[in-house]
Amino acid sequence: MTDSDHPTMPLTSVTAMAAVADALRRIAPELDLDAVDRSAPLRDELDLDSMDVLSMITALSDHIGSPIAERDAAEMTSVDALVDYLVRRTA
Amino acid sequence: MGEFRMPSLGADMDRGTLLEWRVAPGDVVRRGDIVALVDTDKSEVEVEVFEDGTVAELLVEPGTEVPVGTPLARLDPTGPPSAAPPPAAPSHAPPAAAPAPAPAPETTATGPHAARTASPLVRHLAEVEGVDLAGLEPRDPSGLLHRDDIERAAATHRAPLASPPAEVEPPSGGRGPSASPYARRLAAEAGVDLAELRGTGPAGAVVARDVMPTAPPTAAVSDAPSARGGDKQASTRLAIARVMARSKREIPHFYLSSTIDLAAASRWLELENDRRPPEHRLLPASLLLRATALAAQQHPGINAWWIDDEVQLAGDVDLGVAISLRSGGVVTPSITDAAHRSLDDLMTSLRDLVQRARAGNVRSSELQGSITVTNLGDQGVDAVFGVINPPQVAIVGFGSIAERPVAHDGMLTVHPVLTCTLSADHRAVDGHLGSRFLRTLANLLQEPDALAADPDPGAGP
């Protein structure tokens, strides 16, 4: 995975949310994302473990075409934080 | 002419539903190939074949529930004669291929040694049933003893004189129905009245298979899809309940705990992950698994089964990993030969195992670990004291990695630490061995570079 493989497209909060939702659906197909509190801690709200979080970061890195650093990933503790990061990162 | 039979895929499995065939008549199969998908009470399992051959005939239709030991397919033993060796190393024996103390060839045993040719689960059943393996003639031409061999023997040698003298306490008012001890136990656990069952064993004795169909609420015959959703969860729960209750009833557990300084390991991991793309990053779990596998290899008495009133060393470390299912419940498939896998290999295996376990696709060779790890670190608990998965003799528990004040070089400082526990079977393991195991594990985690070095080649998978 390199930047040249996947040129980064700017994401809006709507398209970023769609990418997050897509990644989450693959990890936890039974989740009802509409019922999720987007500001709540991911691990608690969605019952994700560290393997799930790593899978999600991998999927989102793939989506934006550049790797999300682990220290950045550590700060993305809620759905809102993920969406904000993706928008900022691809702007 | 060989037969491929419904395998026993867990200590309490009596029947299984064939969900689908992955082979067709005429296909050439090698030992270790996945040939069928089988539904147990607990999960769907990809079942591997034990021998090379050509599929001659499929005997059972998908969707059919059959007792363990039922022939599912006929195999012509016409494996490619001098082709490449089977992909799995010989040590990766499938569950029924006796992990005996010595790595002896397991398919050709005759004479007194034939008696040992049974999986630990089958031997455990024999122990429960009071059957002497040495006196049994396996039906399987390969010489493997299966669960039904034990049940047949148990039923025949008990049934004729069954009820009055042999039984301890007839349920009520004198004579209880004739039943094998194992069937009695299953019935008691499931709350089933033996008198209401129709025995299908010799002389009408009630055997385990008569109890099982009524026990799990889901055992719908010939209707695999119905065993889904809520019913599936209920049967998963029941399967866990049986194994855990048996563990606590039979195994005298003792518990040790040790706080391990993870400063070096955490720093190493951080630097390593900084230069890796997300798909190649390592979780702390990979270091913990590798250290556990190596420590288990160094202390073989921990990596063992308790069967027939004695310790049987497992040899290879098949590292069971407790994986919680999102729908509730937990499964413990194992990473085979974990001591010979690199950190990256363990990480890949773990990711793959978690995905497959949650999708309900574990393989038969992964169902019988030699020691289990339960890692509740993500849930924020300090420590977990696990319940041993019989016939294993130990389970290692990891709590969360947290920053704590520690004394280091005579100074008070803050390091990431982890509480590691060992629950061990005191029939097989003593506190001294358990302590040495934990100390080895802690020491290994102080040397992350050594853990990251490629495992000694040659014996690797």
Side-chain angles (χ1 to χ4, degrees), chain A residues 30 46 49-50 68 71, chain B residues 273-274 278 281 326 358 378:
Chain A
E30 80 287 359
L46 306 183
D49 60 21
S50 49
I68 297 172
R71 62 195 68 209
Chain B
N273 281 339
D274 250 2
R281 280 178 201 156
R326 294 194 67 87
R358 289 187 176 156
D378 284 332

Side-chain angles (χ1 to χ4, degrees), chain B residues 128-161:
Chain B
V128 170
E129 291 276 22
V131 170
D132 180 9
L133 289 175
L136 291 188
E137 200 58 50
R139 269 191 171 179
D140 190 331
S142 72
L144 282 176
L145 282 169
H146 292 281
R147 201 182 169 93
D148 58 334
D149 292 317
I150 310 294
E151 280 167 1
R152 206 176 313 111
T156 39
H157 83 70
R158 272 164 216 285
L161 54 137

Side-chain angles (χ1 to χ4, degrees), chain B residues 104-312:
Chain B
E106 66 277 3
T107 48
T108 54
T110 51
H113 284 295
R116 298 315 245 175
T117 312
S119 73
L121 293 173
V122 168
R123 272 177 275 155
H124 184 81
L125 176 62
E127 183 196 334
V128 170
E129 291 276 22
V131 170
D132 180 9
L133 289 175
L136 291 188
E137 200 58 50
R139 269 191 171 179
D140 190 331
S142 72
L144 282 176
L145 282 169
H146 292 281
R147 201 182 169 93
D148 58 334
D149 292 317
I150 310 294
E151 280 167 1
R152 206 176 313 111
T156 39
H157 83 70
R158 272 164 216 285
L161 54 137
S163 348
E167 306 305 337
V168 231
E169 28 177 3
S172 63
R175 285 170 5 98
S178 158
S180 74
Y182 185 53
R184 281 184 189 283
R185 173 177 293 185
L186 288 177
E189 285 171 6
V192 173
D193 184 357
L194 282 175
E196 290 174 2
L197 296 175
R198 208 164 54 84
T200 60
V206 175
V207 292
R209 75 172 65 93
D210 302 321
V211 181
M212 294 300 280
T214 61
T218 61
V221 177
S222 309
D223 190 10
S226 78
R228 293 289 183 284
D231 280 356
K232 189 74 194 167
Q233 282 179 37
S235 69
T236 299
R237 203 64 252 163
L238 191 58
I240 296 168
R242 286 217 182 91
V243 176
M244 294 295 96
R246 192 179 105 201
S247 174
K248 278 287 188 170
R249 191 168 53 236
E250 294 178 3
I251 301 179
H253 286 65
F254 73 91
Y255 308 94
L256 303 173
S257 89
S258 185
T259 299
I260 301 178
D261 191 328
L262 285 189
S266 298
R267 199 163 46 242
W268 182 89
L269 204 57
E270 197 177 316
L271 291 173
E272 190 64 28
N273 281 339
D274 250 2
R275 50 195 189 86
R276 290 177 174 233
E279 65 270 28
H280 291 141
R281 280 178 201 156
L282 299 168
L283 291 174
S286 58
L287 285 168
L288 302 179
L289 291 180
R290 177 133 174 80
T292 305
L294 291 176
Q297 191 185 38
Q298 285 182 36
H299 301 282
I302 290 277
N303 187 54
W305 296 291
W306 180 260
I307 296 160
D308 293 342
D309 279 340
E310 64 181 16
V311 182
Q312 296 188 6

Side-chain angles (χ1 to χ4, degrees), chain B residues 376 379-385 397-402 404 418-421:
Chain B
L376 288 184
Q379 311 311 319
V381 298
D382 289 338
V384 47
F385 296 87
F398 293 109
S400 55
I401 300 170
R404 296 270 187 263
L418 162 83
T419 300
C420 173
T421 67

Side-chain angles (χ1 to χ4, degrees), chain B residues 288-364:
Chain B
L288 302 179
L289 291 180
R290 177 133 174 80
T292 305
L294 291 176
Q297 191 185 38
Q298 285 182 36
H299 301 282
I302 290 277
N303 187 54
W305 296 291
W306 180 260
I307 296 160
D308 293 342
D309 279 340
E310 64 181 16
V311 182
Q312 296 188 6
L313 304 183
D316 283 351
V317 180
D318 292 336
L319 192 57
V321 183
I323 297 171
S324 65
L325 305 177
R326 294 194 67 87
S327 54
V330 60
V331 290
T332 55
S334 59
I335 298 174
T336 53
D337 199 15
H340 290 114
R341 292 182 189 263
S342 66
L343 272 185
D344 284 294
D345 188 352
L346 284 172
M347 184 65 198
T348 308
S349 303
L350 179 65
R351 188 187 289 124
D352 172 56
L353 207 54
V354 169
Q355 262 169 18
R356 285 192 293 110
R358 289 187 176 156
N361 292 316
V362 287
R363 296 184 188 132
S364 50

